[in-house]
């Protein structure tokens, strides 16, 4: 019984981080109708920044989180404003290839500057033990912060001025433009928020897992999967999808062996896509 | 005796919304039949059901003696059912000629691309677009696009042509041209189901009229009789305007019959 | 009849065909003209031309953003390698790999092509990941993460170099011939209809699913051949090498560079790309991917229609009052600079489908 609770607890801790990964990706896909191939690299970049600040300057990753978030917001904003906005309404082939190309540049840059060596922030905060279930404090903290950030984003989208503008653009770009919303700017802010979430989440992940450039594709794949499970452009959807994927991977890893986790995730996603060609909870019209 | 098209107890619901309810009617070869009804009456749904875009929830469609209730749009196109769209749907980056040739090649009788283009040219001449043949479809004006749709449908060598609001957005002169065109098409032996808002078009062309309201067929028969049917009047205008419409229908009837 | 005069002339033999055949001949003559470095380069040109032409069936003609190229190249290379290790003669292994890849693509295509747009793109990328994982985990057959050795072709490096060059060239010519056929056939016409308006294509009687599956299968078939030949050529394959995400991006980029949905666009794009790769990137090994990235970004932002989609004829013909449709091929206006740069390619442009 304890083992099951442990598996579930691991799955939920993982899932909270996954939700945080996917929420920004889902936002960009849903609002801009763009698949952002840079997303995995944003996460890894955030992780590296947090790692080096911790290793060389002794800054706690939980503080660095905010610096990373600000830096990645700016990076994301500029990328969208300078490049992606120019093709944002073009077919998938163009937008996807463009972000793919941008990702190669960022990825290459990270490989040269940070090298591909796996880096991990080891905080050794000990564990919270409930019965035989062990909850390491660093993971627990990462999970809570990830959930908090997701919650804040949800609140921002629902209640703030810019949040309403983003939702309006998502629903009907042309109508929003007619209402005086500057669509390109909203796009850039949306993309910035997405990069910000990715970077902050990367900083949290560095506390739990080793960060390496080799995982950019993997993280991107997880974001895909979560979006397919949870649907596009909605924060609760990403949360549900993220937690679901965390649990699935946790159980699959325990029963079948960790090496099958990726295969299971990919197959799950392909199956879901085939059963529901437009995504499980996804809306039609966001193709 | 067999009908060209027989629709039996056709129903379609989307979730809780009943778009067509228990609709039955027949079309005979060579007829021009008008299908009218207020906005949201289920006219386009009915066309979508007949052409295989939607599958019926209940009921059946028999076309030329064959049950076609479950056929896909491409099968419908090949079996002799052609339609035009309320919102014109061309292949935007192809020429006008290629657009029409697609109909001739895939649903019509053309055996090669060359022959399809030859046939397409004839249809374009027929609708008066021959001089625009090599322009991109997107370069056409709205009335021309409607004619392009018509040419494309004709190239499909239909037995039954479903015209969904071909006259919407046209001015009076253009409508007169379209009317003449439709008469010629009918004279070629093509049965026409005409979905229309404009009473003038319906009354002057159709031999019979079907009226849909809230997805139900509330009346059918000769145009004059149908337009005087109190149920129809009420569906369109509410009982208040019944008298006025009756008078109007009388007038149009005198003009055109 | 009066109408026939207005019809566009049917295509006859075009100068572009001769330019292409001369190019193929030049590649074939490489062993007699230059050293092994150039033979290797010519092999790569032929290989990428074959891949870009293959991708063009689904990505260009049909307009489906497929990123599955690496999946099929990888599948072909593993199939070929496993068969060769089981004792099959090299050419037999190549042919079997081709057919097997085509078969798998046909089966997968029937399912995956139900998705559209972004979902299809994501699904096609996931396909690579799935096959990659299978290759890594199924070690009894694939050698797992350690990879698989393939018997080295006897007869020395010069001989082997020629064999693989000609094998790739034959593959390229095969795909080219199929492309020519598709371009003129009912199939190609139907695919173009689908790419522009799938619902309307369905309505005019095109069996959309069958057409798309055919295009997807064609796009995979020769990837299988190329993969198998490649495995024999380099005589060692590993999962991350065979299912390379980089390859899956490069190939569509090549086709776009030349021009989507044209016969010669992918060939021009592949040649330009490989030569660029060799002349520029080789000097900046550490920045290889970044430079590829920059090229792709510039391509998408400034030349989204590719060299061959620039309407060279517009220079002396009255422009049509057309608003360019928001689509892949709307690359007209920004091409002025590129028009001059690409002037020698104008011969090819006439083969463009516009």
């Amino acid at each position: 019984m304890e083992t099951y609770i442990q598996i579930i607890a691991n799955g939920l801790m993982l899932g909270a981080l996954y939700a945080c990964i996917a929420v920004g990706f889902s936002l960009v896909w849903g609002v801009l109708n763009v698949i952002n191939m840079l997303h995995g690299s944003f996460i890894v970049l955030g992780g590296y920044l947090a790692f080096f600040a911790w290793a060389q300057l002794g800054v706690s990753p939980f503080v660095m989180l905010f610096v990373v978030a600000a830096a990645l917001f700016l990076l994301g904003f500029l990328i969208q404003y300078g490049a992606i906005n120019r093709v944002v309404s073009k077919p998938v082939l163009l937008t996807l290839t463009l972000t793919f190309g941008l990702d190669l540049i960022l990825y290459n840059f990270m490989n040269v500057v940070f090298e591909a060596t796996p880096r991990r922030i080891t905080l050794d905060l000990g564990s919270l033990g409930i019965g035989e279930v062990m909850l390491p404090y660093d993971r627990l903290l990462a999970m809570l912060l990830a959930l908090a950030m997701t919650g804040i984003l949800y609140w921002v989208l629902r209640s703030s001025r810019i949040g309403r503008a983003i939702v309006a653009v998502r629903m009907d770009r042309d109508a929003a433009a007619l209402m005086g919303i500057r669509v390109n700017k909203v796009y850039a802010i949306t993309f910035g928020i997405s990069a910000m979430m990715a970077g902050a989440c990367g900083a949290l992940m560095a506390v739990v897992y080793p960060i390496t450039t080799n995982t950019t594709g993997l993280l991107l794949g997880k974001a895909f999967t979560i979006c397919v499970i949870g649907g596009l452009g909605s924060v609760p959807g990403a949360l549900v999808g993220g937690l679901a994927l965390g649990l699935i991977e946790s159980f699959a890893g325990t029963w079948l062996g960790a090496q099958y986790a990726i295969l299971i995730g990919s197959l799950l996603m392909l199956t879901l896509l085939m059963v529901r060609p437009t995504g499980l909870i996804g809306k039609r019209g966001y193709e | 005796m067999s009908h060209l098209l027989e629709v039996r107890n056709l129903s379609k619901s989307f979730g809780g919304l009943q778009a067509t309810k228990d609709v039955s009617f027949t079309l005979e070869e060579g007829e021009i039949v008008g299908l009218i009804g207020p906005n949201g009456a289920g006219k386009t749904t009915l066309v979508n059901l007949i052409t295989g875009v939607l599958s019926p929830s209940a009921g059946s469609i028999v076309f030329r003696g064959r049950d076609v209730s479950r056929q896909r749009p491409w099968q419908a196109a090949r079996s002799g059912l052609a339609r035009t769209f309320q919102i014109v749907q061309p292949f935007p980056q192809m020429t006008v000629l290629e657009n029409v040739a697609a109909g001739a090649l895939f649903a019509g009788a053309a055996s090669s691309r060359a022959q399809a283009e030859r046939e397409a040219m004839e249809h374009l001449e027929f609708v008066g677009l021959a001089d625009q043949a090599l322009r991109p479809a997107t370069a056409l004006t709205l009335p021309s696009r409607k004619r392009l749709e018509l040419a494309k449908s004709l190239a499909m060598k239909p037995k039954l042509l479903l015209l969904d609001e071909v006259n919407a957005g046209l001015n009076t002169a253009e409508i007169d041209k379209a009317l003449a065109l439709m008469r010629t098409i009918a004279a070629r032996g093509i049965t026409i189901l005409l979905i229309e808002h404009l009473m003038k078009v319906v009354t002057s062309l159709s031999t019979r009229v079907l009226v849909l309201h809230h997805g139900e067929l509330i009346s059918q028969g000769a145009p004059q009789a149908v337009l005087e049917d109190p149920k129809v009047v009420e569906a369109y205008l509410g009982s208040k305007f019944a008298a006025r419409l009756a008078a109007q229908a009388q007038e149009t009837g005198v003009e055109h019959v | 009849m009066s109408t026939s005069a207005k019809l566009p002339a049917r295509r006859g033999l075009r100068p572009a065909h001769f330019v292409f055949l001369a190019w193929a001949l030049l590649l074939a003559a490489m062993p007699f003209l230059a050293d092994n470095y150039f033979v290797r380069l010519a092999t790569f040109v032929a290989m990428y031309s074959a891949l870009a032409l293959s991708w063009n069936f689904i990505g260009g003609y049909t307009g489906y953003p497929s990123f599955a190229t690496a999946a099929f190249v990888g599948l072909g290379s593993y199939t070929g390698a496993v068969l060769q290790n089981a004792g099959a003669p090299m050419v037999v292994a190549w042919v079997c790999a081709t057919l097997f890849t085509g078969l798998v693509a046909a089966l997968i295509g029937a399912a995956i092509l139900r998705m559209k747009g972004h979902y299809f793109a994501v699904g096609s990328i996931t396909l690579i990941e799935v096959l990659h994982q299978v290759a890594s985990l199924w070690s009894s057959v694939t050698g797992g993460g350690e990879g698989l050795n393939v018997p080295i072709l006897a007869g020395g490096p010069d001989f082997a170099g020629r064999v693989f060059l000609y094998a790739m060239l034959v593959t390229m010519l095969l795909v080219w011939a199929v492309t020519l056929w598709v371009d003129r056939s009912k199939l190609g016409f139907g695919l173009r209809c689908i790419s522009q308006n799938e619902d309307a294509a369905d309505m005019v009687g095109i069996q959309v699913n069958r057409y798309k599956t055919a295009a997807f299968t064609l796009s995979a078939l020769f990837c299988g051949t190329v993969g198998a030949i490649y495995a024999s050529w380099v005589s060692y394959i590993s999962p991350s090498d065979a299912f390379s995400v980089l390859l899956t991006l490069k190939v569509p980029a090549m086709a776009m560079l030349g021009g989507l949905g044209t016969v010669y666009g992918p060939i021009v794009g592949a040649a330009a790309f490989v030569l660029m790769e060799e002349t520029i990137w080789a000097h900046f090994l550490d920045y290889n991917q970044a430079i590829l990235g920059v090229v792709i970004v510039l391509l998408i932002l400034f030349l989204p229609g590719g060299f061959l989609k620039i309407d060279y004829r517009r220079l002396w013909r009255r422009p049509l009052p057309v608003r360019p449709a928001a689509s892949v091929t709307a690359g007209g206006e920004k091409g002025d600079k590129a028009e001059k740069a690409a002037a020698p390619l104008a011969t090819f442009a006439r083969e463009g489908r516009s």
Side-chain angles (χ1 to χ4, degrees):
Chain A
M1 190 58 207
E2 265 82 19
T3 46
Y4 279 109
I5 295 174
Q6 182 74 57
I7 296 171
I8 291 170
N10 289 347
L12 290 178
M13 285 190 290
L14 195 62
L17 286 174
Y18 283 175
C20 194
I21 288 180
V23 77
F25 183 77
S26 160
L27 190 68
V28 165
W29 191 346
V31 177
L32 280 70
N33 205 15
V34 164
I35 294 184
N36 175 24
M37 302 294 288
L38 280 154
H39 203 75
S41 294
F42 282 157
I43 298 167
V44 171
L45 180 61
Y48 272 123
L49 291 178
F51 171 81
F52 282 103
W54 171 77
Q56 303 195 338
L57 306 171
V59 182
S60 159
F62 301 116
V63 176
M64 191 58 193
L65 192 69
F66 299 99
V67 183
V68 168
L72 269 116
F73 177 83
L74 197 65
L75 179 66
F77 186 91
L78 292 176
I79 287 178
Q80 177 68 32
Y81 212 81
I84 305 176
N85 263 345
R86 303 179 58 148
V87 296
V88 78
S89 53
K90 294 277 172 69
V92 201
L93 182 63
L94 291 187
T95 54
L96 200 153
T97 310
L98 176 67
T99 59
F100 217 148
L102 289 167
D103 183 52
L104 285 178
I105 301 172
L106 180 59
Y107 176 83
N108 198 157
F109 164 79
M110 289 197 300
N111 262 337
V112 171
V113 176
F114 303 126
E115 294 162 354
T117 333
R119 313 278 193 176
R120 184 180 164 190
I121 301 172
T122 37
L123 294 174
D124 289 324
L125 298 177
S127 288
L128 172 68
I130 305 171
E132 285 179 30
V133 180
M134 299 299 279
L135 304 172
Y137 280 117
D138 50 5
R139 286 191 179 212
L140 213 52
L141 202 54
M143 174 182 101
L144 291 176
L145 281 168
L147 289 177
M149 288 194 305
T150 312
I152 291 170
L153 180 67
Y154 184 61
W155 178 82
V156 166
L157 286 180
R158 286 182 69 91
S159 310
S160 74
R161 210 178 136 79
I162 180 66
R164 297 322 293 167
I166 289 173
V167 173
V169 170
R170 181 208 154 131
M171 282 175 176
D172 190 334
R173 173 202 154 113
D174 296 331
L178 288 175
M179 307 290 278
I181 295 174
R182 288 168 63 192
V183 174
N184 275 351
K185 203 170 152 198
V186 170
Y187 279 168
I189 291 172
T190 308
F191 200 83
I193 291 176
S194 165
M196 181 181 82
M197 293 296 289
C201 189
L204 292 177
M205 288 199 93
V207 177
V208 181
Y209 293 107
I211 284 283
T212 147
T213 47
N214 295 332
T215 55
T216 54
L218 199 67
L219 294 169
L220 185 65
K222 293 195 194 302
F224 281 159
T225 314
I226 294 163
C227 278
V228 172
I229 299 175
L232 290 184
S234 96
V235 175
L239 189 64
V240 170
L243 292 175
L245 185 66
L247 287 172
I248 291 165
E249 285 195 359
S250 185
F251 276 100
T254 314
W255 288 338
L256 299 168
Q259 70 271 32
Y260 286 96
I262 305 171
L263 183 62
I264 301 281
S266 307
L267 281 175
L268 174 77
M269 176 161 101
L270 266 188
T271 318
L272 282 178
L273 278 173
M274 283 171 196
V275 179
R276 271 290 315 250
T278 51
L280 199 59
I281 320 178
K283 286 186 183 171
R284 286 191 172 275
Y286 283 102
E287 293 175 343
Chain B
M1 74 163 223
S2 83
H3 312 282
L4 178 70
L5 180 84
E6 184 174 3
V7 171
R8 287 192 212 120
N9 310 102
L10 201 61
S11 295
K12 175 71 186 176
S13 49
F14 302 102
L17 180 78
Q18 189 90 27
T20 54
K21 246 180 277 176
D22 208 24
V23 172
S24 301
F25 64 90
T26 58
L27 297 180
E28 312 304 331
E29 210 145 330
E31 273 189 309
I32 303 184
V33 176
L35 174 62
I36 61 171
N39 279 328
K43 300 182 299 268
T44 298
T45 304
L46 189 58
V47 173
N48 282 338
L49 286 166
I50 294 171
T51 52
V53 177
L54 300 170
S55 324
S57 312
S60 67
I61 304 160
V62 177
F63 180 59
R64 298 167 79 193
R66 224 158 40 83
D67 186 335
V68 296
S69 316
R70 300 274 152 198
Q71 73 181 353
R72 304 269 307 120
W74 65 267
Q75 292 169 315
R78 290 181 184 189
S79 71
L81 277 160
R83 71 179 288 189
T84 64
F85 285 87
Q86 201 172 343
I87 297 149
V88 186
Q89 297 220 2
F91 301 116
Q93 277 143 35
M94 289 186 173
T95 62
V96 170
L97 183 72
E98 285 175 307
N99 265 276
V100 180
L105 186 60
F106 294 105
S111 57
S112 70
R113 274 169 74 170
Q115 202 205 326
E117 288 188 2
R118 277 195 298 276
E119 286 183 17
M121 205 63 210
E122 286 169 28
H123 292 296
L124 284 174
E125 280 185 355
F126 174 69
V127 301
L129 276 179
D131 53 334
Q132 316 254 17
L134 298 183
R135 303 183 72 193
T138 42
L140 296 184
T141 58
L142 180 72
S144 295
R145 280 193 218 186
K146 297 250 173 188
R147 281 186 281 163
L148 167 60
E149 279 278 303
L150 198 57
K152 190 162 86 178
S153 310
L154 289 174
M156 290 160 70
K157 290 257 149 59
K159 293 280 177 290
L160 171 60
L161 187 58
L162 302 112
L163 300 174
D164 196 352
E165 307 263 346
V166 272
N167 299 307
L170 303 190
N171 65 33
T172 327
E174 288 158 353
I175 290 174
D176 285 339
K177 258 198 245 171
L179 281 179
L181 218 52
M182 281 185 251
R183 284 206 183 90
T184 325
I185 293 167
R188 290 178 172 187
I190 298 173
T191 309
I192 296 178
L193 182 66
L194 192 66
I195 294 96
E196 263 303 339
H197 261 118
L198 299 166
M199 289 303 168
K200 175 190 166 191
V201 175
V202 178
T203 46
S204 70
L205 271 183
S206 355
T207 44
R208 218 148 50 86
V209 174
L210 311 169
V211 189
L212 273 183
H213 183 49
H214 292 319
E216 279 177 287
L217 197 61
I218 54 168
S219 178
Q220 59 174 317
Q224 208 52 54
V226 163
L227 291 182
E228 283 160 12
D229 186 334
K231 272 191 289 184
V232 177
V233 176
E234 201 176 320
Y236 265 91
L237 299 171
S239 47
K240 204 173 161 189
F241 291 98
R244 194 199 282 187
L245 185 91
Q248 206 176 320
Q250 196 88 41
E251 208 177 297
T252 22
V254 173
E255 242 172 63
H256 292 285
V257 174
Chain C
M1 197 166 43
S2 65
T3 59
S4 55
K6 292 176 199 152
L7 289 174
R10 302 307 303 167
R11 281 176 184 157
L13 280 177
R14 296 280 191 160
H17 297 339
F18 294 107
V19 176
F20 168 70
L21 289 174
W23 171 242
L25 220 62
L26 176 71
L27 293 177
M30 210 47 87
F32 310 101
L33 300 174
D35 60 14
N36 280 343
Y37 169 78
F38 285 96
V39 174
R40 190 179 141 273
L41 200 59
T43 313
F44 270 121
V45 168
M47 172 175 138
Y48 279 115
S49 300
L51 292 178
L53 278 170
S54 295
W55 181 85
N56 200 32
F57 290 122
I58 187 76
Y61 284 99
T62 322
Y64 267 62
S66 171
F67 290 90
T69 299
F72 298 124
V73 171
L75 187 61
S77 54
Y78 266 97
T79 312
V82 168
L83 287 174
Q84 270 194 271
N85 282 336
M90 191 170 72
V91 178
V92 174
W94 293 350
V95 173
C96 291
T98 307
L99 298 176
F100 181 67
T101 308
L103 182 71
V104 171
L107 294 176
I108 292 175
I112 196 179
L113 288 161
R114 282 158 38 89
M115 308 171 205
K116 287 184 185 159
H118 292 77
Y119 291 97
F120 176 78
V122 169
S124 67
I125 297 173
T126 312
L127 205 56
I128 304 176
E129 193 53 41
V130 169
L131 291 177
H132 182 174
Q133 290 299 321
V134 170
S136 307
L137 295 171
W138 196 12
S139 29
S140 58
V141 173
T142 63
E146 284 166 25
L148 210 53
N149 285 309
V150 183
I152 295 172
L153 184 64
D158 286 1
F159 173 71
R162 284 177 200 194
V163 168
F164 294 117
L165 169 64
Y166 292 132
M168 290 293 189
L169 270 177
V170 167
T171 313
M172 175 181 91
L173 289 169
L174 271 175
V175 198
W176 169 73
V178 175
T179 304
L180 271 190
W181 172 75
V182 167
D183 193 61
R184 291 162 180 201
S185 71
K186 199 171 163 176
L187 174 63
F189 191 36
L191 293 178
R192 284 173 50 206
C193 289
I194 291 172
S195 85
Q196 295 186 24
N197 190 335
E198 191 164 333
D199 291 333
D202 200 1
M203 302 293 174
V204 296
I206 298 171
Q207 299 178 58
V208 171
N209 286 332
R210 198 179 289 183
Y211 271 61
K212 287 192 298 188
T213 308
F216 193 65
T217 308
L218 278 177
S219 81
L221 201 61
F222 297 102
C223 290
T225 325
V226 166
I229 297 173
Y230 182 78
S232 306
W233 184 24
V234 298
S235 67
Y236 166 77
I237 49 167
S238 69
S240 47
D241 190 27
F243 298 99
S244 149
V245 175
L246 217 54
L247 178 80
T248 231
L249 175 62
K250 255 192 209 177
V251 169
M254 287 170 180
M256 277 188 265
L257 182 64
L260 292 176
T262 61
V263 174
Y264 287 108
I267 297 172
V268 172
F273 213 95
V274 173
L275 295 179
M276 214 154 47
E277 194 166 20
E278 283 303 315
T279 49
I280 309 171
W281 306 342
H283 302 292
F284 302 97
L285 278 179
D286 283 349
Y287 294 94
N288 213 315
Q289 292 176 329
I291 292 171
L292 174 62
V294 170
V295 169
I296 287 170
V297 169
L298 293 178
L299 168 68
I300 299 290
L301 292 184
F302 299 108
L303 194 63
F307 292 142
L308 301 197
K309 276 293 166 64
I310 301 162
D311 192 353
Y312 299 92
R313 283 167 296 189
R314 219 175 49 166
L315 293 174
W316 59 83
R317 203 179 60 189
R318 187 173 58 87
L320 296 167
V322 193
R323 186 175 52 86
S327 149
V328 195
T329 48
E333 300 106 354
K334 287 176 184 163
D336 287 346
K337 277 177 215 153
E339 253 167 84
K340 283 172 198 121
L345 300 166
T347 335
F348 283 123
R350 284 177 221 131
E351 196 55 34
R353 73 175 191 208
S354 61

